[in-house]
């Protein structure tokens, strides 16, 4: 593989997605999101912060090419009765009849039955087509994968943190994927909230990697279907898109990213704790 330009199947959903997805949390303009879609990024994630500009971008793009884009809406709700109204409001604001995915966000334990039932009703009504789950508890995904392999999971795609600093998925997640017909995996926080781009957080003598190399790091693992970016402006969006043409990291580049990640891990706390990390572990231990 010389680049990440080719779309890939997202698990067993039948959907083809770009290797780079676009999240909404920092977006202030619809224009550069629409431009990125024209450049091949077809996965749009309307996350926990539903920026109006991102909603406008979805509306504008969907008018021209709804069937060629993949739309995800997230719910952090722990109240089953609030899930449907939240999704229905998002549908109206985005001007679409359905979302491809409803993501149930940040479930470190299995979501309770009533909430899953509410999500399944939305799927039965055609308002969403597939269900996804995100977690900050990496070890919990093994049980989800077992249910998926047995045909018992309502979730077809899972979202997790994976970057050069937090590599615990290489131990806790990727080895446990079903060998045949695995679910899709979406990686997020590729820059570790910008820590991997911060000159003050680099090992002595190192310059920060470009953002595209952070996305390339996650995409270089064959288990990862796509990686999310959260651009605040056109420059950041275009930098992320450069990862698609640059393709997988070479051995020396991978080693450098891991070396920088090890340095950051032991010295700078994450913005959100991840179950599976080892508190106080030495940076050299395989615990990321």
């Amino acid at each position: 593989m010389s680049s990440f330009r080719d779309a890939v199947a997202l698990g067993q959903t039948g959907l083809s997605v770009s290797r780079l997805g676009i999240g909404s949390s920092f977006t202030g303009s619809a224009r550069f999101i629409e431009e990125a879609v024209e450049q091949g990024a077809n996965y749009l994630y309307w996350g926990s912060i539903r920026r109006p500009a991102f909603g406008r971008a979805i509306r504008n793009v969907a008018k021209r090419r709804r069937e060629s884009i993949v739309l995800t809406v997230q719910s952090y709700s722990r109240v089953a009765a609030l899930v449907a109204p939240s999704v229905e409001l998002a549908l109206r604001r985005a001007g679409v009849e359905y979302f491809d995915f409803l993501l149930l966000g940040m479930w470190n334990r299995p979501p309770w039955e009533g909430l899953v039932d509410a999500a399944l009703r939305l799927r039965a009504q055609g308002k969403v087509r597939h269900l996804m789950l995100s977690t900050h508890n990496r070890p919990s995904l093994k049980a989800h994968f077992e249910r998926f392999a047995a045909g018992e999971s309502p979730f077809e795609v899972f979202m997790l943190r994976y970057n050069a600093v937090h590599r615990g998925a290489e131990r806790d997640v990727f080895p446990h994927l079903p060998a045949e017909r695995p679910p899709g995996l979406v990686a997020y926080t590729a820059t570790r909230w910008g820590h991997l781009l911060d000159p003050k957080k680099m090992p002595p003598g190192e310059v920060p990697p470009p953002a595209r190399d952070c996305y390339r790091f996650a995409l270089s693992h064959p288990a990862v279907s796509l990686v999310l970016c959260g651009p605040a402006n056109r420059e950041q969006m275009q930098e992320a898109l450069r990862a698609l043409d640059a393709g997988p990291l070479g051995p020396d580049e991978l080693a450098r990213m891991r070396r920088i990640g090890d340095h950051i891990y032991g010295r700078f706390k994450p913005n959100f704790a991840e179950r599976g990390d080892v508190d106080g572990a030495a940076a050299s231990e395989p615990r990321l």
Side-chain angles (χ1 to χ4, degrees):
M1 182 187 297
S2 59
S3 80
F4 293 124
R5 274 289 172 188
D6 292 340
V8 297
L10 186 52
Q12 310 307 313
T13 63
L15 295 169
S16 294
V17 294
S18 54
R19 304 301 307 280
L20 187 76
I22 309 172
S24 66
S25 294
F26 305 100
T27 302
S29 170
R31 184 177 302 174
F32 70 81
I33 299 300
E34 296 175 51
E35 181 185 18
V37 173
E38 294 300 325
Q39 292 174 290
N42 80 329
Y43 182 92
L44 301 178
Y45 164 62
W46 213 10
S48 55
I49 302 176
R50 296 180 186 171
R51 300 288 186 190
F54 203 82
R56 289 195 298 274
I58 291 175
R59 180 184 291 271
N60 295 339
V61 170
K63 287 179 181 178
R64 301 190 300 271
R65 50 190 302 176
R66 176 64 187 92
E67 294 303 317
S68 65
I69 58 173
V70 177
L71 303 179
T72 292
V73 66
Q74 177 172 282
S75 172
Y76 273 138
S77 179
R78 268 48 181 168
V79 179
L82 298 181
V83 175
S86 174
V87 170
E88 290 163 356
L89 177 60
L91 288 170
R92 291 195 297 273
R93 288 180 173 172
V96 295
E97 295 182 355
Y98 68 92
F99 288 107
D100 296 282
F101 287 96
L102 169 58
L103 169 64
L104 301 187
M106 205 165 69
W107 284 93
N108 294 336
R109 296 181 179 180
W112 63 282
E113 185 176 353
L115 194 134
V116 174
D117 286 345
L120 290 171
R121 283 194 294 274
L122 286 167
R123 189 176 72 179
Q125 294 164 4
K127 295 176 181 178
V128 302
R129 293 192 169 177
H130 306 276
L131 302 185
M132 186 188 311
L133 180 129
S134 74
T135 184
H136 286 290
N137 181 0
R138 292 190 312 264
S140 72
L141 287 171
K142 181 175 183 291
H144 284 290
F145 294 163
E146 291 170 351
R147 290 193 67 200
F148 179 87
E152 299 172 354
S153 175
F155 304 106
E156 299 176 74
V157 178
F158 298 89
M159 197 165 88
L160 72 160
R161 180 187 302 168
Y162 178 57
N163 55 52
V165 182
H166 296 280
R167 305 194 303 270
E170 296 171 2
R171 176 197 63 214
D172 299 329
V173 180
F174 302 152
H176 303 294
L177 280 165
E180 297 182 2
R181 298 179 57 80
L185 288 186
V186 176
Y188 62 87
T189 322
T191 69
R192 215 252 191 166
W193 308 286
H195 293 188
L196 283 161
L197 311 178
D198 188 344
K200 296 178 181 178
K201 293 181 171 59
M202 293 299 104
E206 289 277 10
V207 297
R212 62 182 173 271
D213 285 358
C214 299
Y215 302 117
R216 293 171 67 203
F217 178 88
L219 289 173
S220 292
H221 198 288
V224 174
S225 306
L226 69 93
V227 62
L228 286 176
C229 67
N233 52 51
R234 185 181 185 275
E235 181 181 359
Q236 290 181 6
M237 184 73 258
Q238 292 300 309
E239 170 63 16
L241 287 167
R242 292 185 187 101
L244 300 180
D245 291 322
L249 294 173
D252 290 344
E253 293 173 304
L254 279 170
R256 177 174 180 257
M257 291 297 292
R258 289 174 178 271
R259 183 170 64 251
I260 293 171
D262 286 348
H263 176 84
I264 291 173
Y265 183 89
R267 293 165 178 82
F268 303 98
K269 291 183 178 181
N271 288 13
F272 300 95
E274 183 92 341
R275 189 168 300 174
D277 291 341
V278 179
D279 293 337
S284 61
E285 293 181 17
R287 70 296 162 263
L288 297 174

